[in-house]
Amino acid sequence: MTEEYRNWESFSHSGMVLEGGGSRGVFTAGVLDYFMEKNLFLPYTVGVSAGACNALDYASGQMGRTKDVFIVTDKKRRGWSMEHFFKTHYLYDMDMLFDEYPNRLIPFDYESYKKRGMRVEMVVTNLTTGRPEYLSDYKSSKRLYKICRASCSLPMVAPPVKMGADLYMDGGLADSIPFGHSLMLGNKKNVVILTREMGYRKKLKSGMEGIFRRMYKDHPALVRALINRPKVYNRQLDILERLEREGKVFVIRPTEKTVGRAETDPHKLEAFYEHGYNTGVAVYEDVLEYLRR
């Protein structure tokens, strides 16, 4: 295989679409680490929540970084704790995840991210409109981490993030699998990495509607997005699976049992990462063939 087929500049009008899923993002990290080993980079990447973190490390070319952030054996560096919850009423320590980690603990290579010239967008949900927004930044690392933080700010376990005059939260609330946005940008070929198995469909858990209405009563559009999320997500999967059958998108998903969103067991996470890496190995040639068609 010649190098030209591995260089992202050879694959114009193509995109990498990364679903979120909390700890399940370690599967995506495995797939992308193998792609990076093979120097397979696409010119556009869009990520949601944990997928936004994957997107940044993919664009900076930092193999293994996402894995190191996800698989933590030191509980004090885990990014969430009951102690933090009792202090702040939020389970996740977002300052550690989006300040300590990228700046000091496991530094993000912002200069490499800028120099590569890949276009990266992260999905956030506007609390006022309940709509998704697709944001990026190549001038300020501080704002870049802030966008990623907003994309990962899950309801009830993390606070909203203020940017400008607006508040933002997890992008998955409004657009969990943004392949439609990538298509709209003119990317005719899209590689979509999911973190759920084939056939999965989302359900709104009993009692959650009332909790959402009470907790976010000042943001009715967000409440609507939260309540409608399973319906919107399942519709996205229906469309994605149809496009997959038609050969219009290339979907990569787990074929083994997935881990939970908040899984912390390093052995389980390592195994799920390896499943992602091995999946990347298995589909690599097929991905190249799809992109070249």
Side-chain angles (χ1 to χ4, degrees), residues 81-97:
S81 67
M82 291 308 298
E83 180 181 358
H84 188 265
F85 174 78
F86 291 132
K87 287 181 179 179
T88 66
H89 302 296
Y90 290 108
L91 187 63
Y92 286 0
D93 185 346
M94 303 300 275
D95 290 335
M96 175 178 286
L97 293 173

Side-chain angles (χ1 to χ4, degrees), residues 23 26 67-68 70-75 78 259 262-274:
S23 296
V26 78
K67 176 188 177 185
D68 291 342
F70 273 102
I71 304 178
V72 180
T73 55
D74 184 348
K75 292 183 179 180
R78 191 167 279 168
V259 299
E263 181 60 67
T264 58
D265 186 317
H267 301 293
K268 292 181 180 179
L269 293 175
E270 181 72 37
F272 203 45
Y273 167 84
E274 290 297 331

Side-chain angles (χ1 to χ4, degrees), residues 45-210:
T45 299
V46 58
V48 183
S49 197
C53 301
N54 288 117
L56 293 184
D57 291 334
Y58 176 58
S60 69
Q62 288 180 269
M63 286 184 288
R65 183 179 183 275
T66 312
K67 176 188 177 185
D68 291 342
V69 172
F70 273 102
I71 304 178
V72 180
T73 55
D74 184 348
K75 292 183 179 180
K76 293 181 179 179
R77 296 173 60 174
R78 191 167 279 168
W80 67 270
S81 67
M82 291 308 298
E83 180 181 358
H84 188 265
F85 174 78
F86 291 132
K87 287 181 179 179
T88 66
H89 302 296
Y90 290 108
L91 187 63
Y92 286 0
D93 185 346
M94 303 300 275
D95 290 335
M96 175 178 286
L97 293 173
F98 296 99
D99 181 10
E100 288 293 319
Y101 266 97
N103 291 313
R104 286 170 285 279
L105 295 177
I106 307 177
F108 174 71
D109 192 342
Y110 183 67
E111 292 306 313
S112 176
Y113 164 79
K114 287 196 300 181
K115 289 177 181 177
R116 280 175 171 271
M118 293 169 60
R119 182 179 179 184
V120 176
E121 291 187 314
M122 295 172 280
V123 189
V124 296
T125 300
N126 187 305
L127 266 66
T128 301
T129 66
R131 301 289 300 168
E133 295 182 19
Y134 308 88
L135 306 180
S136 58
D137 195 280
Y138 301 92
K139 295 181 179 180
S140 166
S141 60
K142 185 176 180 179
R143 185 172 185 273
L144 184 73
Y145 304 152
K146 201 169 189 180
I147 294 170
C148 192
R149 176 175 180 155
S151 186
C152 296
S153 292
L154 292 164
M156 298 187 291
V157 296
V161 175
K162 187 171 184 179
M163 292 187 286
D166 295 309
L167 291 171
Y168 295 92
M169 293 196 79
D170 189 332
L173 306 180
D175 191 355
S176 296
I177 316 171
F179 62 91
H181 178 71
S182 185
L183 287 166
M184 186 180 68
L185 292 177
N187 294 314
K188 298 177 182 179
K189 296 292 181 71
N190 287 279
V191 178
V192 182
I193 304 182
L194 303 179
T195 57
R196 288 284 197 176
E197 67 280 6
M198 181 71 173
Y200 171 79
R201 291 298 185 271
K202 191 178 294 292
K203 297 179 181 179
L204 184 65
K205 294 181 180 179
S206 176
M208 291 307 298
E209 180 174 343

Side-chain angles (χ1 to χ4, degrees), residues 273-290:
Y273 167 84
E274 290 297 331
H275 177 45
Y277 183 91
N278 292 333
T279 299
V281 174
V283 304
Y284 175 68
E285 293 294 338
D286 292 333
V287 169
L288 286 183
E289 182 180 352
Y290 163 76

Side-chain angles (χ1 to χ4, degrees), residues 3 6 29-41 57-58 61-64 67 116 273-274 277-278 280-281 284:
E3 187 66 22
R6 300 174 184 173
V31 176
L32 293 180
D33 276 355
Y34 183 72
F35 286 178
M36 283 190 273
E37 278 186 27
K38 304 299 288 186
N39 200 26
L40 175 61
F41 293 90
D57 291 334
Y58 176 58
Q62 288 180 269
M63 286 184 288
K67 176 188 177 185
R116 280 175 171 271
Y273 167 84
E274 290 297 331
Y277 183 91
N278 292 333
V281 174
Y284 175 68

